[in-house]
Amino acid sequence: MVGISCTRYWWSLVNSTWLVKNPFSDNPTNWIRKIPAMMSNLKLGVELVNASNLTPKDEGSANSYVEFHFDGQKFRSTVKEKDLSPVWNESFYFNISDPSNLLNLTLEASVYHSSKGTQSRAFLGRVRLNGTSFVSYSDAVVLHYPLEKKGMFSSVKGELGLKVYLTNDPSIRSSNPLPDVESFPNSDSRSYQPQQQEAPNPVTNLFSNDKAESRHTFRHLPKENHHQHHSTASVTQQPVYYSTDEMRSEPQQPNIVQQPKVVRMYSASSSQPADYALKETSPFLGGGQIVGGRVIRADKPASTYDLVEQMQFLFVRVVKARDLPTMDISGSLDPYVEVRIGNYRGITRHFEKNRNPEWHEVFAFSRDRMQASVLEVVMKDKDLVKDDFVGIVRFDLNEVPTRVPPDSPLAPEWYRLEDKNGEKVRGELMLAVWIGTQADEAFPDAWHSDAATHVDSSAASSSLLRSKVYHAPRLWYLRVNVIEAQDLVPSEKNRFPEVYVRVQIGHQILKTKTVQSRTMSPLWNEDLLFVAAEPFEDHLILSVEDRVGSSKDEIMGRVIIPLNSVEKRADDRLIHSRWFSLEKPLPLDVQLKEKKFSSRLHLRLCLDGGYHVLDESTHYSSDLRPTAKQLWKHSIGVLELGILNADGIHPMKTRDGKGTTDSYCVAKYGHKWVRSRTIMNNLSPKYNEQYTWEVYDPATVLTVGVFDNSQVGEKDTNGNSHRDMKIGKVRIRISTLETGRVYTHSYPLLVLHPSGVKKMGELHLAIRFSCTSLMNMLHIYSRPLLPKMHYIRPLTVMQLDTLRHQAVTIVAARLGRAEPPLRKEVVEYMSDVDSHLWSMRRSKANFFRLMSVFSGLFAVGKWFGDVCMWKNPITTVLVHILFVMLVCFPELILPTVFLYMFLIGIWNYRYRPRYPPHMNTKISHAEAVHPDELDEEFDTFPSSRGAELVRMRYDRLRSVAGRIQTVVGDVATQGERIQALLSWRDPRATAIFVTFCLVAALMLYVTPFQVVAVIAGFYFMRHPRFRHRLPGVPINFFRRLPARTDSML
C-alpha cells in the first residue's frame, strides 16, 4: 500500500505543481520534460525529538548524540551530556538524488555515546527505516522506535523519537553536516545547532485516493502544536570543512514514474502484476501502531481486541414492558418496539394480545454513522392497516454512559412512556443504553445498524447476518469388516445365490464383492470404511442381498446396529468379532408375529480414533490431530486473527438499480469455524472482529474466505434462497509466520472465473502467532505429520478421496443446521472440495513447478558441462584441484557438502521472505490459460457439454496422455537395457560386458581407488580438443542393448 501511495504522491506533485502553475499545461510534453527539475526539490525531513531510557555508559549516564545516514549523506546532532533521556528537537533535511529509487533507500539513525576523555564513542543503538514508510508532512507523526542492536553481543535498550516526512518545498535547503564529535571533545555541544530553516511546505494531497483517506493516520505521542512544523533556535554556525565522500549525493537521474512497490514472495520468474500482489500496511489498531510487524504502543492502554481497530457502538437492550394500555376496540394490544436514531431503525418481534411482553433483544448502532443526537425508543401496536403509536422514550446521546469490559453489564431500568408532546402516559419499558466497543459480550448477538436491510430490519431477520463461532463435529472412521454369513435361505431353491452385503450409514453406501455361495455360507472378509460424526445419530444398516437378475436384487436378511454400541479404539489392537442375527424386512403396514431368523452375519466393527479424518485437502490441512482425544498433545501456541476490512469489492448483485454486495467473512482453522457479521450494501465494509485459535502443529493452514450473503431479500422461483456467491479467499501457512510478529497486509481476493482470473477486491487482515512452548514446537518438526495409524495401517489414495468427500458432506450438513446456517457452498469452497478434479491448467502449473524444482539440478549440470568444455579455464583448473583434494581425502566430502549448504543457508537469510506467501497467478498458470481449458475446468462432473466439444477435449487429452505414455516408455526402455547387460538377451553384448567387468576387477584390485577416481574425473573434464562430436563408446554400447519394446503389441 505504501508503494501505491508513493506513486500517487508523484502524480499529486505533478498535478499540483505543473498542471496548476505551468502556463503550458495544455501541452503535456512541456511539463513531462520538467519532471526531473521538479522532483529535484524532493527532500526527506527528519525531526529528532528525543530519546528515552538509554544504556548508561560513564558513571551511570551518557553523552549522547545521533548520527543520520541517508542516500550517501551523513548528519549529526548535538551532544546531550549526562542525560539518559535527552531532548533535541532538531530538524535535518536530506536531498533525494534519485526519487525513482526512493522506495529502496534506507534512513539509519545511530545513537552514540561520546567519551571526551578518550576521544572515542560507544554504540547505544540504532533505528533503520525503509523508504516504504516515508509519508507526507500532513500524515507524519512522532513515533518512538525501539533501538536495535548492531550485533549479537550488543547491549542496547531505549527508544528514539523521530518524525520522518517528505517535502517538495523549493525554499528548503538541505542541512549542513556537523563535524565529527571526536574532533571537538572540549567544545560546547550546545554551540552546534542545525541551521534555521523555514517551515516546510506540506505536500498537499499526498495520498489523493479515497482508499488512503479512509486509513487511520499516525497519532502524535507528545502533545505538540499540529500547525507548527518545528522550532529551532537561531545560533551562529562556524565554518567547517568536510570530506567530499561525506556529503556527496548520488548523481540525479531522470525521474520515471514507478509502479507501486509490493511484496515479492517468489523469484522474478514467477512475479505477477502489482495489482495481484500482497501489500503491507501500517494500521492503527487497538494495541497501537503496527510498523514493520512491531507494535508501537499508544498512550492509552491496549485492549483485548488489539489486532483490530476499536469501533464504538451505541447498544440498546430492550428487555420487557409492563402495564401497557389497550389500543384496539377489543381491548387487546400487539406490542413491538422500534429503536430509532437518525435514518437507522431496528424493530423487535411483536407479541399478539400481550400487555406485558418480554423481548430481551439488543440493538447496536455504529457511532461513525450517527447523524442525530437523540435516541428514540418507540412502543407501537401492530395493526393490519397502520401501526398505532403507544409511547416513546428519548435519550440524549451526550448523557449515555460508556462501558468498557471487564466491567459488569449495565443494569436495565424502568422508563415511563411518554406521548408525542412529552407527557407521561400509561406503561413502562425496561431498557439499558450504553456505549461500548466490539469487545462487549452483547456485540455478537446484537442487531447491527451496518447490517440493516431495507427488506426487513427486524431483529429476527438479523439472525442471518450476525457473527457466530461454529465447531465442526468430531469425525471418526468406522471400519466394517464383513467376514462371512451362515445359513442363508434363498427364495429359489434350484439355484445357487449370488450374494453380497450392502452397508449403509446415512447417505454413505458401500457393497462387498458378489460371491456365488454353494454352501449357503459365503465368505467375504472385506474391510469397508465410512465416516461417522458425533453425536452418533445414524444407524449402521447391513443387508445381505441376492442378485436374482441383472437389475433385480432380493434382500435375504438385514441387521441394524446403533453406532453408540460400536467399540472404539485408538490403536491397532484387534477387535473381537461378533455374530449378528439377520431379520427379514417387513412392510410397515403389516403386523406379523416376530420370528427369529436362523441366518447370521459375522462382523468385526470398530470406530478408529487413531486416524485423522481428512475433511480438507492434505495440502491445506488446518488440523492434523487424531480423532481420539487421549492422543492429543499440548498446544504449541496461539493464532490470533483480526479481520479488519475489505476494500474495492466487486458488486455481486443489483439492488435499486445499483451494484452492491452484502459481504461477510468466514475463517477456518481446525474444528473452529468463525463467521463475521454481514455488512449490507457496502463495497468497502469494515468488520474489525478478532478471533483466536489454539495451534497444535505449525504445518497447518488458516483459510479466510469472503462471501456475498444471498439469504436476505429476493428468493428464486421455488421460494428458496440463492446460493452465497464466493468473492475470494486467503490461505496463510502457520509455519511461515514469525513468532510474536504482527502481520498487517492487504490480500488481493483472486478468483478464477470462466472468463479468466479476476480480482474481486482486497481483504485487510492482522495476524499474530504466539508460541507458548518453543521446545514443543521444535519437537513437532521431528514427529510424523499424520498420526501413526496412517503409517501402521495406511489407507489407499482412492479410499482417502472417497472418505474426504464424505467428511466434507457431513461437516456441511451439520454446519448448515446452525443458526445462522453456514451453507454448503461455503463449506465446500473453504475445504477445496473440487481440488482433485482434472484441470489442464493445474496440470501445466504442476509441470512447471516440477521443472522449477529441478532447475537447480539443471543449473548444476549446465555449470559442470561448461567446466568440462573449459568455457572458463580458471574455474576448470580450480575444479580439478578441488576434485583431486576430495579424492585424496574422501573424508572431507560430506563435511564440505554440509558446510556448503550451511553457507548457502546463511547467505539466503538476508533474502528470506518477511511476509506470508499468497496466491500467485503465474505459478497457478492462470494468466495465459486458454478459454476452452477454463471452460473444461468449470464443467460439471459428469460433463454437461455437447458431444462435439466433449469429443474434442477427449482427443486433446489423448494427445497429452500419448506424450506422457511415450516418456514413460522411454524410461522403461532405459531400465530394461540395464537389465539386458547381464540377461544374455544379446549374447555378444553380455559377453563384452562380462569380459569388461573381469578386466576392470583385476585392474581395480592392483590400482588404488584414488588413482582410478582421478583418471576418471580428468577424463570426463578433458579439454574439448580431446573430445569428439560423436557419442562415446559406453553410450554407443548402451544404446545398442535390447529392450522389450519389440515384444509390445
Side-chain angles (χ1 to χ4, degrees):
M1 298 299 294
V2 176
I4 295 176
S5 303
C6 288
T7 301
R8 287 169 178 160
Y9 161 55
W10 284 27
W11 284 112
S12 67
L13 291 177
V14 173
N15 294 333
S16 61
T17 307
W18 288 105
L19 292 183
V20 176
K21 299 179 182 179
N22 188 9
F24 302 100
S25 59
D26 55 345
N27 188 355
T29 58
N30 293 330
W31 59 265
I32 287 178
R33 295 188 184 124
K34 297 184 180 182
I35 288 180
M38 175 196 66
M39 296 304 294
S40 64
N41 296 325
L42 187 64
K43 296 179 180 63
L44 178 69
V46 180
E47 292 187 12
L48 174 60
V49 182
N50 62 352
S52 61
N53 195 24
L54 296 178
T55 303
K57 290 297 181 181
D58 290 344
E59 300 178 356
S61 184
N63 304 326
S64 55
Y65 68 95
V66 182
E67 186 175 281
F68 294 95
H69 294 262
F70 179 78
D71 199 11
Q73 306 161 67
K74 181 170 65 175
F75 299 153
R76 292 189 181 92
S77 71
T78 57
V79 179
K80 300 296 180 180
E81 297 183 354
K82 297 182 179 181
D83 194 351
L84 295 179
S85 297
V87 178
W88 284 281
N89 288 324
E90 301 176 7
S91 300
F92 305 90
Y93 294 93
F94 296 85
N95 286 325
I96 300 177
S97 59
D98 186 5
S100 64
N101 194 38
L102 175 62
L103 301 179
N104 298 323
L105 299 179
T106 300
L107 171 67
E108 180 174 333
S110 302
V111 185
Y112 293 98
H113 160 71
S114 175
S115 180
K116 295 185 177 181
T118 61
Q119 298 185 3
S120 62
R121 66 181 185 180
F123 179 75
L124 299 180
R126 69 178 179 183
V127 173
R128 294 172 60 90
L129 302 179
N130 294 327
T132 56
S133 62
F134 300 156
V135 297
S136 68
Y137 186 86
S138 60
D139 289 338
V141 296
V142 178
L143 290 178
H144 288 75
Y145 298 93
L147 293 177
E148 300 177 351
K149 298 181 180 181
K150 180 181 293 185
M152 182 181 301
F153 302 102
S154 302
S155 177
V156 170
K157 67 176 183 178
E159 295 179 341
L160 184 64
L162 298 174
K163 182 177 180 180
V164 183
Y165 53 87
L166 295 170
T167 178
N168 68 327
D169 192 346
S171 63
I172 295 179
R173 294 175 298 169
S174 63
S175 304
N176 291 328
L178 292 176
D180 289 343
V181 178
E182 296 85 342
S183 62
F184 297 90
N186 299 322
S187 301
D188 185 4
S189 62
R190 291 174 296 177
S191 64
Y192 295 103
Q193 294 286 344
Q195 63 182 8
Q196 184 175 3
Q197 301 280 357
E198 297 180 0
N201 181 25
V203 181
T204 59
N205 198 16
L206 177 62
F207 301 101
S208 59
N209 55 84
D210 297 339
K211 183 189 306 183
E213 290 177 358
S214 64
R215 189 180 308 143
H216 287 267
T217 59
F218 292 172
R219 301 295 198 272
H220 283 272
L221 298 181
K223 293 183 179 179
E224 299 179 5
N225 185 2
H226 292 258
H227 301 287
Q228 184 176 1
H229 303 297
H230 58 274
S231 61
T232 57
S234 176
V235 295
T236 303
Q237 179 70 36
Q238 298 180 359
V240 184
Y241 298 97
Y242 318 101
S243 62
T244 56
D245 294 337
E246 191 176 54
M247 283 299 298
R248 184 175 58 200
S249 301
E250 296 295 331
Q252 296 186 3
Q253 301 292 338
N255 295 281
I256 304 173
V257 178
Q258 186 177 351
Q259 293 295 329
K261 181 174 182 179
V262 297
V263 176
R264 175 170 291 179
M265 298 158 293
Y266 305 94
S267 61
S269 61
S270 56
S271 60
Q272 57 180 349
D275 198 34
Y276 291 171
L278 196 66
K279 302 178 181 64
E280 186 178 17
T281 61
S282 298
F284 189 88
L285 305 181
Q289 178 75 30
I290 308 298
V291 179
R294 307 174 70 174
V295 182
I296 308 300
R297 296 294 177 184
D299 294 337
K300 58 183 180 180
S303 65
T304 55
Y305 280 59
D306 59 342
L307 291 187
V308 293
E309 299 178 11
Q310 287 192 3
M311 301 177 64
Q312 287 194 333
F313 292 87
L314 174 65
F315 290 94
V316 180
R317 184 186 298 276
V318 181
V319 185
K320 56 185 176 180
R322 66 183 179 186
D323 195 25
L324 296 178
T326 58
M327 302 299 294
D328 296 338
I329 301 177
S330 60
S332 62
L333 179 70
D334 302 332
Y336 71 92
V337 175
E338 180 180 294
V339 183
R340 298 187 306 210
I341 178 169
N343 296 329
Y344 295 99
R345 67 185 187 115
I347 303 174
T348 66
R349 65 185 185 278
H350 77 279
F351 292 91
E352 294 185 358
K353 300 180 180 180
N354 191 339
R355 296 175 56 193
N356 299 288
E358 295 186 8
W359 290 281
H360 298 283
E361 297 181 9
V362 182
F363 299 84
F365 298 88
S366 176
R367 289 290 301 272
D368 297 338
R369 300 185 180 184
M370 289 185 183
Q371 300 177 355
S373 59
V374 177
L375 169 67
E376 297 180 343
V377 183
V378 185
M379 176 72 69
K380 291 187 176 182
D381 175 33
K382 189 74 173 178
D383 206 344
L384 295 176
V385 180
K386 183 180 180 181
D387 297 343
D388 298 327
F389 175 84
V390 178
I392 189 173
V393 178
R394 295 182 175 90
F395 295 89
D396 187 352
L397 296 185
N398 297 323
E399 304 296 331
V400 176
T402 301
R403 174 181 177 264
V404 179
D407 293 348
S408 299
L410 193 67
E413 301 180 16
W414 287 103
Y415 294 89
R416 187 74 176 270
L417 296 178
E418 300 176 353
D419 59 12
K420 296 181 180 180
N421 298 323
E423 301 293 334
K424 301 293 184 181
V425 297
R426 182 180 178 183
E428 290 181 304
L429 184 61
M430 179 177 281
L431 300 170
V433 182
W434 72 96
I435 294 176
T437 65
Q438 65 265 46
D440 201 294
E441 64 271 7
F443 179 81
D445 296 326
W447 174 95
H448 293 273
S449 59
D450 53 6
T453 172
H454 71 287
V455 178
D456 189 359
S457 59
S458 65
S461 65
S462 68
S463 63
L464 299 174
L465 312 177
R466 293 172 179 166
S467 58
K468 287 295 180 182
V469 177
Y470 307 84
H471 284 276
R474 195 152 62 111
L475 303 177
W476 294 74
Y477 281 150
L478 173 63
R479 187 183 296 272
V480 180
N481 180 220
V482 183
I483 303 175
E484 60 178 336
Q486 282 187 354
D487 303 329
L488 297 180
V489 180
S491 59
E492 300 179 8
K493 304 296 184 179
N494 55 354
R495 56 180 290 272
F496 295 111
E498 297 181 359
V499 186
Y500 67 92
V501 179
R502 182 177 182 270
V503 187
Q504 178 178 358
I505 172 174
H507 297 286
Q508 307 174 62
I509 300 175
L510 291 178
K511 299 177 182 179
T512 66
K513 62 178 180 293
T514 303
V515 175
Q516 189 174 25
S517 176
R518 295 180 177 271
T519 61
M520 303 304 169
S521 298
L523 178 66
W524 293 280
N525 197 20
E526 289 188 32
D527 268 354
L528 304 178
L529 282 176
F530 300 86
V531 179
E534 292 183 351
F536 301 117
E537 300 174 350
D538 296 323
H539 290 72
L540 179 64
I541 304 174
L542 298 97
S543 59
V544 181
E545 301 186 9
D546 178 18
R547 182 153 296 170
V548 180
S550 59
S551 59
K552 181 180 180 182
D553 297 330
E554 182 180 283
I555 299 178
M556 305 179 68
R558 184 172 61 182
V559 60
I560 301 176
I561 305 173
L563 289 182
N564 292 325
S565 62
V566 177
E567 187 176 356
K568 300 177 182 178
R569 70 173 182 181
D571 51 14
D572 196 32
R573 63 184 176 86
L574 183 63
I575 299 295
H576 297 292
S577 60
R578 296 173 55 189
W579 287 94
F580 294 89
S581 298
L582 297 176
E583 297 181 357
K584 281 283 189 179
L586 300 176
L588 297 177
D589 56 346
V590 178
Q591 301 294 331
L592 298 176
K593 185 177 180 180
E594 184 179 354
K595 296 181 181 180
K596 292 186 178 180
F597 191 68
S598 59
S599 299
R600 297 190 303 171
L601 187 61
H602 195 193
L603 302 173
R604 182 178 286 111
L605 308 175
C606 70
L607 288 165
D608 270 329
Y611 291 93
H612 168 67
V613 181
L614 295 169
D615 59 343
E616 53 197 341
S617 176
T618 54
H619 302 292
Y620 317 127
S621 293
S622 60
D623 188 13
L624 300 172
R625 292 174 295 169
T627 302
K629 289 186 177 180
Q630 60 267 32
L631 299 179
W632 291 3
K633 304 296 182 181
H634 294 290
S635 63
I636 62 172
V638 176
L639 176 64
E640 299 169 273
L641 170 67
I643 305 176
L644 302 180
N645 56 63
D647 189 39
I649 293 183
H650 191 274
M652 305 298 293
K653 64 182 69 169
T654 302
R655 181 178 293 151
D656 298 332
K658 298 180 179 179
T660 186
T661 300
D662 306 328
S663 62
Y664 65 93
C665 296
V666 176
K668 175 191 185 302
Y669 185 77
H671 292 171
K672 182 178 177 182
W673 297 60
V674 299
R675 168 181 176 151
S676 72
R677 70 188 188 281
T678 300
I679 308 298
M680 303 290 292
N681 300 326
N682 198 333
L683 299 181
S684 297
K686 291 185 177 181
Y687 304 99
N688 286 311
E689 300 183 18
Q690 184 171 339
Y691 301 95
T692 305
W693 289 268
E694 286 188 338
V695 178
Y696 293 88
D697 196 309
T700 49
V701 176
L702 167 70
T703 305
V704 184
V706 185
F707 301 88
D708 175 58
N709 195 333
S710 302
Q711 309 311 306
V712 178
E714 299 179 356
K715 309 291 183 180
D716 57 14
T717 55
N718 298 326
N720 300 322
S721 301
H722 296 283
R723 292 168 55 92
D724 287 355
M725 302 299 295
K726 61 184 179 183
I727 299 178
K729 65 182 173 184
V730 175
R731 299 191 196 100
I732 301 167
R733 185 167 292 274
I734 308 303
S735 59
T736 62
L737 304 179
E738 296 180 11
T739 303
R741 180 178 177 180
V742 180
Y743 292 85
T744 53
H745 293 87
S746 183
Y747 296 83
L749 299 174
L750 304 177
V751 177
L752 193 64
H753 288 275
S755 58
V757 65
K758 188 175 184 180
K759 180 180 177 181
M760 305 296 290
E762 294 182 353
L763 181 62
H764 196 189
L765 301 177
I767 304 166
R768 178 172 56 204
F769 171 57
S770 304
C771 178
T772 56
S773 176
L774 179 60
M775 295 305 298
N776 288 343
M777 184 173 66
L778 296 179
H779 178 64
I780 287 291
Y781 281 88
S782 65
R783 299 185 57 84
L785 186 65
L786 295 172
K788 66 177 182 179
M789 283 295 293
H790 286 270
Y791 307 98
I792 297 175
R793 298 190 64 179
L795 305 177
T796 64
V797 176
M798 186 66 69
Q799 284 179 323
L800 289 175
D801 287 342
T802 304
L803 293 173
R804 174 175 170 261
H805 182 267
Q806 298 296 342
V808 172
T809 302
I810 292 175
V811 172
R814 289 292 180 89
L815 297 182
R817 291 159 52 181
E819 185 64 33
L822 205 57
R823 295 180 60 86
K824 180 180 179 181
E825 58 269 17
V826 174
V827 176
E828 290 181 347
Y829 180 65
M830 296 288 290
S831 302
D832 289 284
V833 70
D834 57 348
S835 61
H836 65 287
L837 297 179
W838 160 258
S839 168
M840 181 68 73
R841 177 190 60 85
R842 288 199 193 104
S843 300
K844 292 181 179 179
N846 291 333
F847 173 77
F848 287 112
R849 285 175 57 203
L850 187 63
M851 293 296 101
S852 177
V853 169
F854 288 107
S855 61
L857 296 177
F858 298 153
V860 172
K862 183 178 182 299
W863 171 83
F864 186 73
D866 293 341
V867 169
C868 295
M869 298 304 295
W870 290 71
K871 293 292 183 65
N872 190 338
I874 298 178
T875 303
T876 303
V877 171
L878 293 177
V879 170
H880 279 74
I881 296 175
L882 179 62
F883 176 73
V884 172
M885 292 177 57
L886 293 179
V887 170
C888 296
F889 303 98
E891 63 274 9
L892 297 180
I893 295 178
L894 288 180
T896 303
V897 171
F898 285 110
L899 180 61
Y900 183 65
M901 293 195 307
F902 168 78
L903 294 177
I904 292 177
I906 295 299
W907 178 263
N908 290 338
Y909 180 78
R910 302 173 53 193
Y911 310 102
R912 68 190 185 277
R914 301 178 182 270
Y915 311 97
H918 185 52
M919 298 179 185
N920 189 285
T921 55
K922 191 165 186 177
I923 291 180
S924 304
H925 207 73
E927 295 178 343
V929 60
H930 194 274
D932 183 68
E933 295 177 3
L934 282 176
D935 183 72
E936 180 183 17
E937 184 171 345
F938 284 91
D939 192 8
T940 58
F941 188 84
S943 176
S944 58
R945 300 297 187 263
E948 291 298 327
L949 186 58
V950 172
R951 183 180 293 108
M952 183 271 294
R953 291 174 179 172
Y954 175 67
D955 293 339
R956 181 177 61 194
L957 183 61
R958 289 176 63 189
S959 64
V960 174
R963 288 192 289 269
I964 298 176
Q965 170 184 289
T966 302
V967 173
V968 173
D970 291 340
V971 174
T973 298
Q974 308 309 319
E976 291 171 352
R977 285 174 176 170
I978 295 176
Q979 294 176 347
L981 287 171
L982 297 172
S983 65
W984 295 91
R985 291 193 62 195
D986 185 342
R988 286 167 295 276
T990 304
I992 294 174
F993 181 73
V994 169
T995 304
F996 169 77
C997 291
L998 177 61
V999 175
L1002 295 176
M1003 292 182 61
L1004 292 176
Y1005 273 122
V1006 298
T1007 306
F1009 174 76
Q1010 288 84 350
V1011 175
V1012 177
V1014 169
I1015 294 175
F1018 280 23
Y1019 173 77
F1020 283 109
M1021 294 185 290
R1022 65 191 184 276
H1023 197 272
R1025 69 177 57 182
F1026 302 111
R1027 296 177 182 271
H1028 301 282
R1029 294 186 178 181
L1030 298 179
V1033 174
I1035 297 178
N1036 294 332
F1037 177 78
F1038 182 77
R1039 289 178 177 176
R1040 291 178 178 277
L1041 292 174
R1044 296 184 178 179
T1045 52
D1046 49 355
S1047 301
M1048 297 282 292
L1049 292 177

